[in-house]
Amino acid sequence: MSEHQHHIKLPEGSIEKQTTTLNLGPTHPATHGVFQNILELDGERIVSSEQTVGYIHRAFEKLAERRPLYQITPITDRLNYCSSPLNNMGWHITCEKLLNIQTPKRVDYLRVIIMELARIADHLICNSIVGVDAGAFTGFVYVMEYRELIYEIYEEVCGSRLTTNIGRIGGFERNFSNTAFEKLEKFLREYPKVLKEFENLFTRNRIFMDRLVGTGAISAERALNYGFTGPNLRAAGVDYDVRVHAPYSSYQDFDFIVPVGNTGDNYDRFLVRNEEMWQSLSIIEQAYRKVQEFKGADAEVFHANVPEYYLPEKKEVYTKMEALIWHFKIIMGETAIPKGEVYNAVEGANGELGFYLISDGGRTPYRLHFRRPCFIYYQAYGELTKGAMLSDAIITMSSLNLIAGELDA
Amino acid sequence: MSLTNDRIKQRLIEKFGEPVSGFEELYGLLSFEAPKEMNLKILQFLFDDDELKFRFLTDLCAVNYPDDKGRELAVVYHLHNLVDNIRLRFKVFTNVQEPDVFTASKLFSSANWMERETYDFFGVNFIGHPNLKRILNVDEMDYFPLRKEYPLEDQTRIDKDDAMFGRGGTIV
């Protein structure tokens, strides 16, 4: 017996250690992304934790320094890939601000439609994953079908689904087809019913509430200090929304409510996201009505007149000299960007998505920095989960809507 | 009356005088700079002042200007006053030999990781930071990749010369 014991060499002090170390991630099904949490556990309670990020860092900011503006759009796709169109639009709007481009109203409204669809797609994933992590898979299956429908609308507009690269500086690559509008109408008709059903499943569900109410809570003051934005900040009771505070893309033309919570816990985050989906639906309806008001030639407007930056239609490239020249200059990245320094933010699905763009007059940005909301608020995870049960920490992680792509840039 | 850029400028000059300089208004956003030793004093003043109330740190990052001797690195703070809904940009410059800047992480918890990121990519040494180590890159890395001295592409490729990107280079 004693012979055997001599073969096991335990590290110094490990017998006396009262806590267990658990590696949650980097690849763990419950983290829904590639990041690591090293948790110190006392039984099932978290004593302390350390976050490690950067597993899928792809040097976006460095890459952007050698790319003309239009080639940076696909990079932005890969930030928060659950709502790529929001990132794309944010980037286009930043460029337009630097270049002083005014977009036509119709373009703004079409963009609003796409952005709000992306917000719904993002929130429905986030909220249904919260359900999955609490043990309720059904809701996820209900809403997934409608994310598919949203993706079909993107596909109709830009040809791709997940990493959309949608739109261009100045507007869209093509006008919305009738099929796109039909699919949008179908979505507007059917989704409210499903969302209602989804809410019926969860909102007052005893088990679900027991798991979410009071877990992962943060006060408004701490949330602000931690740089929270978006639904996570609003759940803590601060009504900060970029769409209202600094309207872009004609958001001032729409009526909507900014839902706020008050406890900043997982349940409030869930409720805020659900309500935001209803608000987004209403915004899309308003925008669609406004789009329908454009008749005749006005209904054909889908981009601003900025030949220096807007890729001309292929048909024109083959038949018109000017279009060919612009096409060549844009593709070769030969258009100089005016000197300037601009910070522009949009309301991303999980917070304020900012672009800090510095141009020195070259053909590519001198420096581009992305303000990635979830990189900033993930710092609070340690504080949010301290003293919590391991299973609650999992829900907290999914209800914060962490997206590894955005975290690591 | 809500806060205006002119009023912020006036308050800063009243309080700090000469050292606060380089006021600019680009696209409506007030921007200024100060000596790096003063960064915390200014951030604290902007935070505490009852009129200014810049209590939200939106963004913190760095920019490298290798040709600007003695001011090679800029640390850029974007602050937001959520009550009056006004933003500002504040920069401090440091030389690259001694890139020491005081940490803002005591004032803003959000600065913790943003400063680690800035250290990771630019090597800005944030004095007093509780855990200043690399965050996105591997710990073994021995350079600061976003500095301009580390070019992106293979240097033997002439089609990727700076001249192709409109700023000097070797091709004439």
Side-chain angles (χ1 to χ4, degrees), chain A residues 53 62 98 245 366-367 371, chain B residues 27 58 62 64 85 148 150:
Chain A
V53 301
K62 191 76 181 174
L98 181 77
H245 282 71
Y366 183 75
R367 168 94 169 99
R371 185 214 189 261
Chain B
Y27 301 90
T58 302
N64 184 205
N85 188 26
K148 293 286 179 189
Y150 301 106

Side-chain angles (χ1 to χ4, degrees), chain A residues 57-280:
Chain A
H57 173 63
R58 294 144 295 172
F60 285 164
E61 291 176 6
K62 191 76 181 174
L63 286 172
E65 287 176 11
R66 275 296 179 90
R67 285 175 177 231
L69 297 180
Y70 83 100
Q71 286 183 9
I72 295 170
T73 324
I75 288 182
T76 65
D77 280 340
R78 287 148 179 85
L79 289 169
N80 180 350
Y81 40 71
C82 287
S83 50
S84 299
L86 277 164
N87 313 339
N88 299 156
M89 298 299 170
W91 171 241
H92 296 322
I93 293 168
T94 308
C95 296
E96 285 156 13
K97 193 167 167 186
L98 181 77
L99 305 168
N100 277 318
I101 296 169
Q102 295 295 321
T103 45
K105 278 282 175 191
R106 187 168 185 273
V107 170
D108 286 357
Y109 298 150
L110 291 175
R111 281 184 172 177
V112 165
I113 294 179
I114 291 296
M115 285 192 281
E116 293 307 317
L117 282 173
R119 195 179 317 283
I120 293 176
D122 193 285
H123 284 359
L124 72 80
I125 282 295
C126 178
N127 269 358
S128 58
I129 288 290
V130 170
V132 170
D133 286 343
F137 196 75
T138 323
F140 180 72
V141 188
Y142 273 28
V143 293
M144 254 335 223
E145 195 184 331
Y146 288 84
R147 190 181 79 153
E148 173 65 22
L149 193 51
I150 294 176
Y151 279 9
E152 279 179 23
I153 299 171
Y154 297 166
E155 210 174 1
E156 203 55 50
V157 177
C158 72
S160 46
R161 297 158 55 85
L162 188 77
T163 46
T164 49
N165 193 15
I166 199 168
R168 293 191 188 145
I169 296 171
F172 282 93
E173 50 272 64
R174 64 177 77 84
N175 203 354
F176 280 36
S177 65
N178 279 333
T179 324
F181 285 126
E182 278 162 24
K183 290 199 163 161
L184 182 68
E185 279 170 25
K186 181 172 187 278
F187 179 78
L188 288 174
R189 202 166 51 238
E190 293 177 11
Y191 187 62
K193 216 167 70 192
V194 176
L195 186 54
K196 191 81 200 58
E197 227 166 335
F198 180 76
E199 286 189 332
N200 288 346
L201 267 175
F202 288 106
T203 310
R204 302 300 293 170
N205 182 312
R206 186 72 274 171
I207 306 166
F208 187 71
M209 284 179 75
D210 282 349
R211 294 296 309 278
L212 270 78
V213 176
T215 56
I218 189 164
S219 68
E221 196 192 345
R222 288 304 292 153
L224 284 170
N225 202 260
Y226 264 123
F228 274 48
T229 42
N232 296 335
L233 179 65
R234 291 192 282 273
V238 182
D239 63 342
Y240 173 61
D241 187 323
V242 187
R243 290 175 294 175
V244 178
H245 282 71
Y248 51 90
S249 197
S250 298
Y251 265 109
Q252 67 277 9
D253 297 356
F254 299 92
D255 286 327
F256 61 99
I257 295 164
V258 178
V260 288
N262 54 44
T263 58
D265 62 2
N266 290 335
Y267 190 61
D268 274 15
R269 284 196 276 273
F270 175 85
L271 293 183
V272 164
R273 285 207 182 84
N274 259 352
E275 184 52 36
E276 277 186 20
M277 282 196 264
W278 288 111
Q279 295 303 325
S280 293

Side-chain angles (χ1 to χ4, degrees), chain A residues 98-100 336-342 357-362, chain B residues 26-27:
Chain A
L98 181 77
L99 305 168
N100 277 318
I337 312 162
K339 224 172 147 160
E341 201 169 321
V342 61
L357 170 62
I358 302 175
S359 165
D360 66 342
Chain B
L26 291 168
Y27 301 90

Side-chain angles (χ1 to χ4, degrees), chain B residues 6-129:
Chain B
D6 289 337
R7 180 69 190 140
I8 300 166
K9 189 174 163 181
Q10 196 189 336
R11 288 285 291 151
L12 282 164
I13 292 172
E14 273 170 22
K15 176 78 184 171
F16 297 103
E18 279 289 291
V20 181
S21 60
F23 284 96
E24 269 184 309
E25 258 184 69
L26 291 168
Y27 301 90
L29 188 77
L30 182 74
S31 171
F32 66 94
E33 61 168 276
K36 64 175 180 176
E37 299 78 31
M38 289 180 68
N39 73 331
L40 274 191
K41 280 194 191 118
I42 290 172
L43 289 172
Q44 189 76 50
F45 172 70
L46 288 166
F47 190 98
D48 288 337
D49 191 73
D50 284 336
E51 194 183 349
L52 299 176
K53 293 183 292 234
F54 282 94
R55 289 171 193 162
F56 189 83
L57 178 67
T58 302
D59 195 23
L60 190 164
C61 66
V63 190
N64 184 205
Y65 298 102
D67 300 332
D68 200 355
K69 292 289 168 242
R71 290 157 57 89
E72 285 94 346
L73 289 168
V75 177
V76 187
Y77 304 86
H78 281 90
L79 296 165
H80 199 160
N81 169 342
L82 290 167
V83 181
D84 296 299
N85 188 26
I86 188 162
R87 293 179 195 270
L88 66 76
R89 181 184 298 139
F90 167 44
K91 292 180 186 174
V92 293
F93 286 87
T94 172
N95 61 43
V96 77
Q97 292 80 30
E98 271 185 348
D100 300 338
V101 175
F102 292 115
T103 176
S105 58
K106 301 278 185 305
L107 189 58
F108 301 105
S109 304
S110 54
N112 188 326
W113 281 19
M114 289 195 266
E115 285 180 350
R116 278 178 67 185
E117 191 190 15
T118 308
Y119 162 75
D120 194 355
F121 288 100
F122 290 91
V124 178
N125 180 31
F126 289 97
I127 300 169
H129 191 284

Side-chain angles (χ1 to χ4, degrees), chain A residues 357-375:
Chain A
L357 170 62
I358 302 175
S359 165
D360 66 342
R363 293 162 183 179
T364 58
Y366 183 75
R367 168 94 169 99
L368 176 62
H369 177 74
F370 301 107
R371 185 214 189 261
R372 289 122 41 219
C374 78
F375 176 76

